[in-house]
Amino acid sequence: MLATLLGILLVICFGFVIIENFSVLRKQPFLEKIAYSYGLGIGLISLEMLIYSLLGIRWSLIALLVPWIFPIALFMKAKKYKQLFFTRKIFPPSSWFDRLFIFLIVTTVVYVLLEATIRPVAGWDPFATWLMTGKAFYIDRTIDSSIYTYMNYDIPPFIGLFVAFGYIVLGQVNDTTVLLFFSSFYIAILLLFYFTSRKYISSRYALLFTFLLATIQNLIRHAGKFDVGYADLPLAFYFFASSILLLLFLQSRSIKTLILLSFFLGTGALIKNDGVPFFLFVEMIGIFFAIRWGKYKYILAAFPGFLLFGAWQMYKVIFSVQESYLFHGTIDVARVPAILLEMGKEFLNVRRWNISWLIFFVSLIKTSDFSAKILILILLFQLFSYLFVYMVTPIGISQIKNSFDRLLIHLVPIAMLIVVTNFSKFRLKYD
Amino acid sequence: MKSVLAIILLFWLLFSVSSLVLNITELFSEEKIYFSATEDEKRKLLYGDSHLIYTFLLNQVKEIDNILLFSSSGKTFFLGRYYLYPKKIYWAAEKRNMTTDKIKRYAYVLVYYSKDENINIELNNIEGLRVAKKASIVDERDNLIAVLYKVL
């Protein structure tokens, strides 16, 4: 357990050092940076392992840590670590209301972490796919392309890579404690959600909505209960973080933010194939606005994402990894009514989502904010991409019942943020 | 409008709090077995017979590799693939299409006898195929759950 926590801490450290060294997200609060650091660290360590694999360098803890000596030394030299130890309160609980919700949120997180650590991986997809590749990568100490032939599936490598990293830090395969890497995405989402909500509503209501997000049953299942280990919660984080970074970029027009956004988008595309349309669409939005502002050099800032995406596509071609059925299937338009019906049922599934999706759709009537419109555009595009997948899938309509709830996890933090931005139009008594 | 919104928020909050309370209650009632169970017991609870089968194979028949699994359960196959890696296991999902020549490509054959479906495979009766029973795997009540054959 301690070794896993050390691994998570290392990942956060790697991401944080890069963020601080390049002075990205300067105005963001410390805990919000920690959340971004986790996502960035996961992407960077996975990329490092991918590069090592391509260069024929076998993974070991020392080999993976050595390249980080330089950025960490740079961070220490610039004395940026002094900024870590500020004395002002992170959460100033000025009232009983605030204290109550902090208590509820912390209780939920502790409950989720406890759930994640009391049993080994339980979900079908984790042991069939995600932790399977993690175990294979760890045992082989590289990405051996034969694993893709053996599994007959073209899953992107990043989940397997960070799981393998967890095992390298642990020194063994432990499919119980490594699940904490997945639970950490849940915490990161909550942190990002709270601090982003604060830009639209008071701290009080930001805590309330963070609690409401934290207690969505399907999120809890994927963060700690029987569905922990699926790739959907990590992807939800990258979708959410990317959406916020896009809004930040549109506001600040900072090229550094665009670069970070591009990296997060590329990472998402290498977490799960569902991340690919999101990556392409949001990247295009960023480039569109950059061109509209006359900042043509910003197009280069999209390079990190395309580098990640392109490297994986090239790997698949070189090693003849089986292509997704999406490129071979036929579009069955006749399925659309049935697909929409099943999707609609899932939105109304109160057991899995509380009333979050209901409130989301109702809140749309109050949409006026530019940020909300951008987020809605992204969400609708991604929903349409899922509709397309169901039109093409060879498995048929039955696949929706087994999978759409997991696809909605990708989008629920974004949907909740849209609820918050629309809610901010109201002024209630306790603001 | 504001009062309607306040009521909706309050309802949503109550729903969430009650869900959290229910979750915590379940953790210490339905799921409390996981606190006291050993690692082996936890995996038996989660994976059923598959845990018994693959643990037995890993511990007792260490030289196995390149196994052909006859099973109606996809879960058994995927767990086998996960447990046994780097040893390879393949799933003969379509038993009727398995020819003798195809079976001979594998070093071992594992037949899983699911409780839900009667699997009646007599490998010794397949023309041109010679196998030797390597191990029989039983559960705690001595019910046969799987048989491992060596392909000769």
Side-chain angles (χ1 to χ4, degrees):
Chain A
M1 178 82 67
L2 281 176
T4 304
L5 293 175
L6 174 66
I8 292 169
L9 213 61
L10 277 173
V11 166
I12 293 172
C13 175
F14 297 156
F16 191 81
V17 153
I18 296 299
I19 283 175
E20 289 297 295
N21 282 347
F22 287 95
S23 301
V24 193
L25 306 173
R26 279 158 56 186
K27 294 178 184 173
Q28 311 321 110
F30 172 68
L31 283 180
E32 188 178 353
K33 283 193 210 177
I34 291 295
Y36 283 115
S37 298
Y38 183 66
L40 181 61
I42 287 285
L44 289 171
I45 196 71
S46 301
L47 177 62
E48 182 186 357
M49 293 167 79
L50 177 61
I51 292 171
Y52 274 29
S53 185
L54 291 169
L55 294 175
I57 302 172
R58 283 176 62 82
W59 307 326
S60 68
L61 190 57
I62 301 292
L64 291 173
L65 292 181
V66 158
W68 291 98
I69 294 174
F70 176 69
I72 291 173
L74 202 65
F75 173 78
M76 299 300 282
K77 186 171 182 291
K79 295 189 171 57
K80 291 191 184 232
Y81 58 88
K82 285 187 178 177
Q83 296 166 18
L84 292 176
F85 303 106
F86 51 82
T87 54
R88 67 178 171 86
K89 292 176 187 176
I90 297 165
F91 284 109
S94 55
S95 73
W96 66 268
F97 190 101
D98 293 357
R99 289 191 207 106
L100 173 65
F101 279 100
I102 290 170
F103 170 76
L104 287 173
I105 293 167
V106 170
T107 302
T108 309
V109 170
V110 169
Y111 159 74
V112 164
L113 294 178
L114 199 54
E115 281 276 6
T117 53
I118 61 171
R119 71 190 136 244
V121 61
W124 190 312
D125 275 10
F127 61 69
T129 310
W130 310 111
L131 267 68
M132 173 69 207
T133 46
K135 181 179 179 181
F137 290 166
Y138 170 74
I139 288 172
D140 298 334
R141 289 298 196 280
T142 190
I143 302 175
D144 185 338
S145 60
S146 64
I147 187 65
Y148 289 101
T149 311
Y150 177 48
M151 291 176 66
N152 199 29
Y153 193 29
D154 72 327
I155 54 165
F158 271 24
I159 295 280
L161 287 171
F162 79 70
V163 167
F165 175 73
Y167 292 155
I168 289 171
V169 173
L170 282 163
Q172 60 176 329
V173 173
N174 185 325
D175 55 13
T176 304
T177 62
V178 84
L179 298 175
L180 286 175
F181 276 88
F182 293 85
S183 307
S184 298
F185 283 106
Y186 170 75
I187 298 170
I189 286 173
L190 296 182
L191 285 172
L192 282 185
F193 184 83
Y194 170 76
F195 286 103
T196 308
S197 298
R198 283 282 286 115
K199 292 167 187 154
Y200 300 96
I201 52 179
S202 67
S203 169
R204 186 158 299 164
Y205 284 108
L207 285 170
L208 166 64
F209 279 100
T210 304
F211 173 67
L212 294 176
L213 175 66
T215 49
I216 289 175
Q217 290 302 297
N218 215 14
L219 270 185
I220 286 177
R221 278 191 70 91
H222 281 255
K225 282 191 91 164
F226 292 95
D227 292 340
V228 64
Y230 279 82
D232 301 288
L233 189 64
L235 189 59
F237 168 82
Y238 285 101
F239 277 14
F240 188 53
S242 300
S243 301
I244 302 168
L245 285 171
L246 177 66
L247 297 180
L248 272 174
F249 168 65
L250 295 179
Q251 186 186 30
S252 67
R253 303 191 184 189
S254 161
I255 193 169
K256 289 181 185 177
T257 306
L258 183 59
I259 293 170
L260 187 63
L261 165 64
S262 181
F263 187 82
F264 269 66
L265 288 169
T267 303
L270 264 64
I271 288 281
K272 206 180 176 207
N273 284 326
D274 307 340
V276 173
F278 188 93
F279 152 67
L280 292 171
F281 187 64
V282 176
E283 196 85 275
M284 289 302 112
I285 294 176
I287 292 173
F288 169 78
F289 277 96
I291 292 174
R292 197 175 170 196
W293 299 329
K295 296 181 184 289
Y296 301 104
K297 68 175 181 179
Y298 278 22
I299 295 171
L300 293 174
F303 184 65
F306 283 103
L307 179 65
L308 284 168
F309 179 67
W312 173 236
Q313 301 310 311
M314 204 181 321
Y315 183 95
K316 288 201 291 185
V317 168
I318 292 170
F319 292 101
S320 303
V321 176
Q322 181 190 327
E323 272 296 354
S324 166
Y325 61 78
L326 290 173
F327 297 100
H328 309 290
T330 52
I331 302 171
D332 186 352
V333 181
R335 289 182 187 175
V336 170
I339 294 169
L340 291 175
L341 179 65
E342 290 302 323
M343 282 182 165
K345 284 182 192 174
E346 187 56 40
F347 285 125
L348 298 174
N349 190 325
V350 173
R351 192 171 52 87
R352 277 204 269 255
W353 304 105
N354 295 349
I355 56 172
S356 53
W357 284 108
L358 282 168
I359 300 297
F360 164 73
F361 285 112
V362 169
S363 78
L364 291 179
I365 57 176
K366 255 296 184 179
T367 301
S368 58
D369 197 83
F370 174 71
S371 301
K373 289 177 182 173
I374 290 286
L375 292 176
I376 290 167
L377 182 67
I378 292 170
L379 193 145
L380 284 175
F381 175 84
Q382 192 64 17
L383 274 174
F384 179 76
S385 76
Y386 297 151
L387 174 72
F388 176 79
V389 167
Y390 287 130
M391 286 162 62
V392 174
T393 177
I395 300 174
I397 300 291
S398 62
Q399 190 180 5
I400 306 174
K401 289 176 185 169
N402 297 328
S403 64
F404 188 56
D405 66 293
R406 285 185 273 119
L407 300 186
L408 280 186
I409 287 175
H410 307 162
L411 302 175
V412 75
I414 298 173
M416 284 291 285
L417 186 58
I418 294 168
V419 170
V420 163
T421 57
N422 291 335
F423 172 82
S424 66
K425 301 294 172 294
F426 298 97
R427 283 285 179 266
L428 291 186
K429 183 180 176 184
Y430 295 104
D431 271 345
Chain B
M1 184 64 185
K2 288 184 184 179
S3 54
V4 170
L5 186 60
I7 291 169
I8 290 172
L9 273 180
L10 183 62
F11 173 74
W12 193 358
L13 178 61
L14 288 173
F15 199 107
S16 296
V17 171
S18 60
S19 296
L20 178 61
V21 170
L22 191 64
N23 284 338
I24 293 173
T25 310
E26 279 176 1
L27 177 63
F28 293 104
S29 58
E30 292 168 24
E31 297 178 47
K32 69 177 180 183
I33 188 169
Y34 289 104
F35 289 107
S36 56
T38 63
E39 196 59 34
D40 193 61
E41 287 165 346
K42 288 179 190 178
R43 288 177 193 275
K44 178 74 173 68
L45 275 169
L46 290 171
Y47 310 142
D49 290 341
S50 296
H51 173 65
L52 287 174
I53 294 167
Y54 298 120
T55 308
F56 177 89
L57 293 181
L58 283 170
N59 294 334
Q60 306 295 332
V61 197
K62 293 179 182 174
E63 73 277 15
I64 55 158
D65 196 358
N66 194 22
I67 307 162
L68 178 65
L69 170 69
F70 282 94
S71 168
S72 60
S73 164
K75 187 176 179 180
T76 303
F77 165 65
F78 288 115
L79 277 169
R81 199 171 66 176
Y82 178 66
Y83 265 78
L84 297 176
Y85 191 88
K87 301 176 195 295
K88 303 290 193 321
I89 185 168
Y90 301 88
W91 190 21
E94 293 293 331
K95 296 184 292 293
R96 284 188 292 268
N97 296 333
M98 289 304 296
T99 62
T100 304
D101 285 340
K102 282 182 182 175
I103 295 175
K104 283 180 178 176
R105 290 180 200 163
Y106 300 92
Y108 292 89
V109 174
L110 179 67
V111 180
Y112 172 59
Y113 295 96
S114 165
K115 295 182 182 67
D116 301 324
E117 184 177 309
N118 291 322
I119 291 184
N120 189 17
I121 298 171
E122 285 298 332
L123 294 176
N124 286 313
N125 292 343
I126 298 176
E127 193 177 328
L129 181 67
R130 289 178 57 232
V131 296
K133 187 184 282 189
K134 184 77 177 175
S136 295
I137 305 158
V138 298
D139 63 15
E140 299 91 357
R141 294 177 192 159
D142 279 340
N143 297 317
L144 182 68
I145 51 176
V147 178
L148 179 72
Y149 297 91
K150 177 97 175 71
V151 179
L152 301 174

